[in-house]
Amino acid sequence: MARIIPLADVRDAGRPTALAGLVREAAKSPAPPGPLVDRRGRGLHDLRISVTDRCNFRCIYCMPKDVFGHDYPFLPHGDLLTFEEITRIAGAFVGRGVQKIRLTGGEPLLRRHLERLVAMLRELGPLDLTLTTNGALLAKKAADLAAAGLSRVTVSLDSLDDATFRAMNDVEFPVGKVLEGIDAAAAAGLAPLKINMVVKRGVNESSIVPMARRFKGSGHIVRFIEYMDVGATNGWRMDDVVSAREIVDLIGAEMPLAPADANYAGEVAQRWKYRDGGGEIGVIASVTQAFCRDCTRARLSTEGKLYTCLFAQEGFDLRSLVRDGGDDAALDAALAAIWRQRDDRYSEIRTAETARAPKVEMSYIGG
Ligand code: SAM
């Protein structure tokens, strides 16, 4: 049985006092305007915003049903950041050089009128504004999201085999509906589309090659993700990880691949191109080849806590700051102070021991 972190512990981890102390301390040597750098010399380029902690799937590796059941205490609506609050906080990040914002969750398309938030964020400037979704509601929403100013989408799809996919999402959701969502997103111009497949040994590794085959030449980029020890409910074991190396070898044996340069410093996926010009794939080797050294991502949870690492145990409560009347200067000082003291590098120091440590759930912090 998976170990449960009581949600209360996660919520209490906001450390308003710690944040106040940090900001007070930072006020003694305020950050000059402009881009921020953390203690390991890493900039701040991406912001991931979780807009809901709820999901309509119960993927076995992310929100297992025995933990996230009918009685699971999801956040009450009043605890969620409003669209205005999200936009205000995002604006502070953009003021510090963030160029890419990704909406996530939970399942972001469950948040009502999400296209309104997209339109509000679009007003912040020429950002790369993207969304990660399981695709279930995408066919319905793609056109509105594109019209509101979304740049592109990433769709999670763990297998093309219907039985495997249903077993993984654990709510009997069919592959065909996700494929409809992918087609609708492409038709709406939300391209280039990325398709994320998490690979778990013994569950879906036989889907790797068919997935590559299916999308080769489509213009969509499939990204194969090593199964990670996020959260504490999925019972992760190193043996369950299929390495990026194995994935590249499997695909390359049928469809030869050559490594390609990163599009930009800090890109999460390693790129591989088909030698025959059929496009590219990506592999995200967060377990076997940690990329903490290049990590420029901040994460804002559904209720407004700022996390400086996907594997963090604690976040900083920006919602209190905003709801208690903090002005833009206070918000900027807080995020500057948080980023400048950032020292995280979890994936570089991962051990079997740390994998069992309490961490926030991916569905709460956002993938
Ligand atoms: N519901 C949306 C979706 O399905 O894309 C967004 C949230 S989901 C948490 C974001 C991504 O995280 C998905 O691609 C999911 O497969 C991935 N993910 C969740 N748990 C993971 C784990 N333990 N290891 C690797 N990826 C994981």
Side-chain angles (χ1 to χ4, degrees):
M1 165 76 183
R3 202 150 65 84
I4 305 174
I5 304 183
L7 193 65
D9 288 0
V10 172
R11 289 184 192 157
D12 288 347
R15 301 190 302 176
T17 322
L19 178 57
L22 190 63
V23 172
R24 235 188 346 266
E25 212 32 53
K28 294 177 191 159
S29 62
L36 296 167
V37 175
D38 74 6
R39 285 208 258 164
R40 295 186 176 272
R42 299 168 297 191
L44 169 58
H45 297 148
D46 310 49
L47 177 64
R48 298 195 172 187
I49 304 173
S50 174
V51 294
T52 175
D53 59 338
R54 293 165 197 258
C55 190
N56 42 0
F57 284 11
R58 284 293 175 272
C59 296
I60 50 171
Y61 57 81
C62 184
M63 292 184 79
K65 247 184 198 165
D66 59 343
V67 177
F68 295 89
H70 293 300
D71 52 353
Y72 187 81
F74 288 105
L75 295 167
H77 194 73
D79 281 5
L80 272 53
L81 289 180
T82 64
F83 288 171
E84 287 72 20
E85 288 167 339
I86 292 175
T87 306
R88 190 173 156 213
I89 294 172
F93 277 87
V94 171
R96 285 291 183 170
V98 161
Q99 294 151 9
K100 180 171 170 185
I101 294 183
R102 176 177 298 281
L103 300 177
T104 178
E107 170 46 43
L109 298 186
L110 289 181
R111 182 84 185 248
R112 291 181 67 196
H113 308 303
L114 190 74
E115 60 286 354
R116 283 191 204 152
L117 175 63
V118 170
M120 290 162 75
L121 293 172
R122 176 46 73 213
E123 292 287 303
L124 295 176
L127 299 165
D128 186 15
L129 186 53
T130 75
L131 170 103
T132 301
T133 172
N134 60 28
L137 299 169
L138 192 54
K140 239 187 256 170
K141 307 221 169 183
D144 286 349
L145 291 166
L150 194 70
S151 313
R152 34 191 200 89
V153 287
T154 297
V155 180
S156 302
L157 178 59
D158 293 330
S159 181
L160 288 167
D161 175 71
D162 204 52
T164 306
F165 184 59
R166 286 174 192 253
M168 289 185 82
N169 66 52
D170 214 10
V171 292
E172 287 293 327
F173 199 85
V175 171
K177 289 259 178 223
V178 180
L179 295 176
E180 280 172 26
I182 289 174
D183 290 345
L190 295 170
L193 250 91
K194 291 185 181 154
I195 297 167
N196 277 358
M197 171 176 168
V198 175
V199 184
K200 189 171 178 197
R201 192 177 300 284
V203 177
N204 65 338
E205 78 247 59
S206 60
S207 303
I208 294 171
V209 175
M211 184 74 88
R213 210 183 278 139
R214 162 86 186 223
F215 291 107
K216 181 169 182 272
S218 68
H220 308 335
I221 302 168
V222 183
R223 300 176 338 151
F224 299 89
I225 306 177
E226 289 180 353
Y227 172 49
M228 296 183 286
D229 54 324
V230 272
T233 58
N234 66 9
W236 182 90
R237 293 175 319 131
M238 188 66 207
D239 291 352
D240 295 331
V241 179
V242 179
S243 73
R245 185 68 254 173
E246 260 180 279
I247 293 169
V248 168
D249 287 349
L250 265 172
I251 298 171
E254 177 179 318
M255 296 164 275
L257 291 164
D261 290 338
N263 287 313
Y264 55 90
E267 189 172 23
V268 175
Q270 295 167 16
R271 299 172 63 216
W272 291 80
K273 289 198 167 182
Y274 291 112
R275 288 186 186 271
D276 67 1
E280 67 180 82
I281 61 157
V283 284
I284 303 183
S286 30
V287 177
T288 62
Q289 298 167 55
F291 41 79
C292 304
R293 155 170 339 117
D294 294 325
C295 181
T296 55
R297 284 174 293 287
R299 296 165 191 274
L300 186 63
S301 79
T302 313
E303 55 177 346
K305 298 210 162 75
L306 183 64
Y307 289 82
T308 53
C309 176
L310 176 57
F311 299 92
Q313 299 184 12
E314 296 181 349
F316 295 93
D317 184 7
L318 294 184
R319 187 190 66 190
S320 293
L321 193 156
V322 166
R323 289 196 181 166
D324 292 349
D327 61 10
D328 288 349
L331 185 54
D332 176 70
L335 86 86
I338 292 166
W339 197 260
R340 292 174 91 200
Q341 61 84 54
R342 177 185 192 241
D343 195 31
D344 311 81
R345 55 182 195 105
Y346 175 82
S347 292
E348 289 178 356
I349 54 169
R350 172 186 288 109
T351 61
E353 206 50 45
T354 62
R356 283 194 297 274
K359 303 181 226 84
V360 292
E361 295 298 326
M362 187 101 148
S363 54
Y364 165 81
I365 192 176

